[in-house]
Amino acid sequence: MRSRLPDDVVMGRESRLEALHRALREKAGQPVLFGDLVRAVWGDEPPAGPLPALRSLVRRLRQSVEDEIVTDASGYRLVVRRPGPAQLPADLPDFVGREEELAALSSSGSPVLAITGPPGVGKTALAVRLAHRIRDRFPDGQLHVDLRGFATGPAVTVEQALGRFLRALGVPPANVPVDLDEQIELYRAKLQGRRVLVLLDNATELTSLVPDVEGCTAIVTSRNELPGQIRLDVLGDAEAAALLDRMKIDGSSGDRTELIRLCAHLPLALRIAGAHLADQHLPDYLADLRGDGRLDALEIEGDAAVRAAFALSRKALPDDARHLFGLLSVHPGTGFDVEDTAVLSEMLAEDTARQLEVLVHAGLVQRSGERFALHDLIRLFAAESAGPDGPPALRRLLSAYLATALRAVALVAPAITRLPQLELDVEGLSFASADEAHRWLDAKRAVLVAAAQVAPHPFASRLADALRGYLNSGGYRLELGVVLDAGLRTARAAADLDGEVAMHNGFGHLRWETGDYAGALKSYGAAAELATSDLMKGTLLNNMGLVKRDIGDLDGALADLREALPISRAHPALYLTVLPNLGTVHGMRGELRKAVELFEETVLLSEEHGFKIKTAGAHENLGVVHVDLGEYEQARRHLEISRTAYARINIAKPNMLIMLAEVAGLTGDRERARALASEGLAMARKVHQVRMEIDAMVVLDELEAAIELANRINFPSGRRKAQLKLARHDRTVAAELVRDVRDNNDLLMESPAVLALAEATADPDLAREALELAKAREQGAVVRRAEAFLAAQPPANGGSTSS
């Protein structure tokens, strides 16, 4: 009798899910044969349909464990999850006291450990010390974000913080949802079953960044009242004295007591004073601190003492360091380096580095490796002394960022249309290679996004326009939305139509990438209503044509691209983008020879104009269409030309490897196919090209995982490729695929899908239908396979033949 017990019913002490997980884990990293897994789960009583039952069980296991389960040709393979994130800031070496609070927080079983209090009281220091003390309880990692809830610059939104956390938890940037509810759901799903510590610094309230997942704990600091808080008071006499000891502050008992009193027992004020006292006798410093240097209090409780210590330290600075200190307040990010600071100050890098050391020594700037930062309260005071030099310094910094970003994206993510160039005050950096440019963009991404948020017109829209290609291709959708919002807001306020058009165009790309095709068309339409130049009109028609192509509206796509073609003739780069895009639409319409004609024209014109990237792309398109035609040698030749051309200009194109792998598989060289596809998969993951990941997984026969990922990112063509492989042996999948391709007008997929259904059902009538479709569309490979299928069928009427 076949077993009909549910998968989670225990067999002895082990459920079927546990048995499957154990069998895979025992051979982690190696494929385990389907038959071996069926025996490990069901023993000698397998279900009636063992492979579908195993697939269903694997699908459930993927949802319940963090380990990755990969589908191979003959079985499944378990990949153990990577070590968790380790984002905690360094602990303060001179931290003192707070033992009562540390003991209470460390022993608390609460999932939220809230630390509140006025500025300068040491909330962050205590939170970091606590996190390091209890980190061993959280073997799956620690997450950290400074939410900048009380800073003068832009705060970090919940969506931005969740995006960073999800990437740290192993979610590729392109897979991070844009919708907040979906982000929260994925965040909690990634934490499920893990023990992760989350440090949320400078929060204004408790938000969904608090995990609310069993086994995870959040440490939250805030100036505001929070539920279940431990509210910090200033240091006690003994703790303040211990801090002075740590900083090696000598002096009489009376002088030390007075210093503590004048610094209001605040750790921040005491640390500034301690740095200042490295070069001054305590009695002299106290005389200054008692005098006119002690400024009136602000509204923020306790900051008078910090302000007094700050004022004395600032007064003692050399002129260059004092001037630099005021300028640092205009920097938009959470941290800065020598390079940024040199632009702000207009000093040489070596001089800037020396002045930064002076500020670190004075306790006014914090240093961590090569990065520097200002405490929020100190930044506020510094801003008061920036004076009229502040706005020009910010303009210099924005000029440097914009100039450098434009050079970087020209190598990493070149675009056809850009907003008109500004006259910039700073030349910016240059790069020797695309890799070097990409590293700079990755390192500066957070500060570039922050810069766009605070930048005045026209810098906000120009930064957004420069960054959109890089952020889009890297999958940094949340950041892209932030900079586009900033650019659109400032462009509208300044009545800058070109800026508005560019931002709407950017939003069109963003919505297209996220599968919001209706939203993409709406954004492109809004841009088209405002566009005044032929270049922009042609660009928008091209973009709308591509969206319509992706949703199966091939007639609409053809109309838009045909309208764009004559408009773009005066702009060769755009013309040589529209022309091959038109070719892809003809290809999808089954007009493969027309597609070849357009791609060959693109090769000739691109070579004539010296457009290396477009030449490489045209050969790539020719490779793809020759695969559809079943002309594999021509396909391989064009793909190898394209691969070499991309390599010469240092552009990573995993799809070249994956297409070559597909051709190798189609011509019977399975070993080469797996090697190329594996290399392409690794490259696709490195550069965050999720669609290419799916194509590689299809070649590698990781079909269930490919379907799941394609559904998650709304990539129907990738899903259909995976389903086509399954369909040849599964009539249910085959029938669903045929309905899907016909409902969505996927003409190139129709004939192989119908043939797969014929093979799964042994139906010669369906095979003849597939043959006729393939002949009409010149799909040579499908023609050959359909003819072979029909030739292998037994003759009708019991084997007799007609004469």
Side-chain angles (χ1 to χ4, degrees), residues 281-612:
H281 293 301
L282 180 53
D284 296 337
Y285 182 76
L286 288 172
D288 291 339
L289 200 57
R290 294 186 206 106
D292 294 337
R294 186 169 173 80
L295 305 179
D296 293 334
L298 295 179
E299 293 179 1
I300 303 174
E301 175 190 355
D303 72 356
V306 179
R307 192 178 182 89
F310 152 77
L312 285 178
S313 286
R314 181 184 177 281
K315 183 178 179 181
L317 291 172
D319 289 344
D320 285 348
R322 188 184 307 120
H323 182 247
L324 174 61
F325 180 62
L327 298 182
L328 290 176
S329 67
V330 307
H331 191 279
T334 56
F336 44 89
D337 54 22
V338 172
E339 175 188 288
D340 294 341
T341 312
V343 173
L344 286 171
S345 65
E346 294 186 287
M347 290 191 291
L348 296 175
E350 53 266 33
D351 295 332
T352 302
R354 282 195 295 271
Q355 298 306 325
L356 280 172
E357 288 299 330
V358 171
L359 294 173
V360 170
H361 184 66
L364 299 174
V365 169
Q366 302 161 354
R367 178 174 186 161
S368 177
E370 299 300 314
R371 302 286 296 168
F372 302 86
L374 292 174
H375 186 284
D376 287 346
L377 196 54
I378 300 302
R379 180 188 290 269
L380 184 65
F381 297 152
E384 297 173 4
S385 57
D389 292 337
L394 177 60
R395 182 182 173 89
R396 285 195 299 275
L397 186 66
L398 294 172
S399 293
Y401 282 158
L402 179 55
T404 306
L406 286 168
R407 288 200 183 95
V409 297
L411 295 170
V412 170
I416 301 161
T417 54
R418 291 265 184 232
L419 283 167
Q421 294 298 304
L422 302 177
E423 291 188 16
L424 300 175
D425 299 342
V426 179
E427 186 175 339
L429 303 176
S430 297
F431 304 99
S433 67
D435 284 345
E436 185 183 341
H438 214 294
R439 284 194 297 273
W440 184 86
L441 287 166
D442 287 344
K444 293 289 188 182
R445 183 175 61 249
V447 74
L448 290 171
V449 172
Q453 289 177 271
V454 302
H457 180 75
F459 283 100
S461 58
R462 265 55 179 187
L463 273 170
D465 189 51
L467 294 172
R468 60 184 169 84
Y470 157 71
L471 294 173
N472 227 338
S473 63
Y476 300 106
R477 298 164 181 164
L478 299 167
E479 289 87 345
L480 179 55
V482 168
V483 298
L484 290 171
D485 269 331
L488 184 58
R489 184 182 66 252
T490 58
R492 276 178 175 163
D496 176 3
L497 285 183
D498 288 341
E500 284 192 66
V501 169
M503 297 303 97
H504 282 304
N505 184 40
F507 272 118
H509 284 304
L510 174 59
R511 287 163 180 149
W512 181 14
E513 285 293 325
T514 57
D516 178 10
Y517 300 116
L521 289 172
K522 184 177 179 181
S523 292
Y524 288 139
E529 288 182 8
L530 299 172
T532 56
S533 71
D534 283 347
L535 176 61
M536 201 65 212
K537 288 176 182 175
T539 297
L540 292 164
L541 283 165
N542 174 75
N543 294 344
M544 287 188 283
L546 294 181
V547 175
K548 291 175 183 177
R549 180 195 68 184
D550 282 3
I551 60 177
D553 179 9
L554 300 183
D555 290 341
L558 200 61
D560 284 343
L561 291 167
R562 281 177 171 168
E563 185 179 352
L565 200 62
I567 294 175
S568 66
R569 283 188 188 277
H571 307 279
L574 178 59
Y575 182 77
L576 290 172
T577 298
V578 177
L579 190 65
N581 287 340
L582 191 58
T584 64
V585 174
H586 280 291
M588 291 177 70
R589 287 164 60 92
E591 300 159 358
L592 297 178
R593 294 298 172 188
K594 177 63 176 177
V596 168
E597 176 188 325
L598 293 171
F599 295 148
E600 287 177 343
E601 183 183 353
T602 304
V603 168
L604 291 174
L605 291 175
S606 296
E607 288 176 342
E608 179 183 320
H609 286 281
F611 293 152
K612 295 179 181 179

Side-chain angles (χ1 to χ4, degrees), residues 193-249:
R194 290 185 175 187
R195 298 187 64 82
V196 174
L197 181 64
V198 182
L199 175 53
L200 307 173
D201 201 13
N202 291 310
T204 56
E205 60 183 343
L206 296 182
T207 66
S208 49
L209 292 170
V210 174
D212 194 24
V213 172
E214 185 178 357
C216 297
T217 294
I219 301 173
V220 187
T221 74
S222 181
R223 297 180 191 176
N224 297 340
E225 302 278 331
L226 295 177
Q229 67 188 15
I230 284 186
R231 189 159 185 87
L232 290 191
D233 201 350
V234 296
L235 294 176
D237 290 336
E239 292 174 329
L243 180 55
L244 295 183
D245 291 340
R246 289 281 180 89
M247 295 188 295
K248 297 182 172 57
I249 304 302

Side-chain angles (χ1 to χ4, degrees), residues 411-412 414 434-435 613 643 645-654 683:
L411 295 170
V412 170
D435 284 345
I613 293 177
R643 181 186 181 186
Y646 281 127
R648 283 176 180 161
I649 51 181
N650 293 314
I651 292 181
K653 293 285 285 187
M683 185 187 295

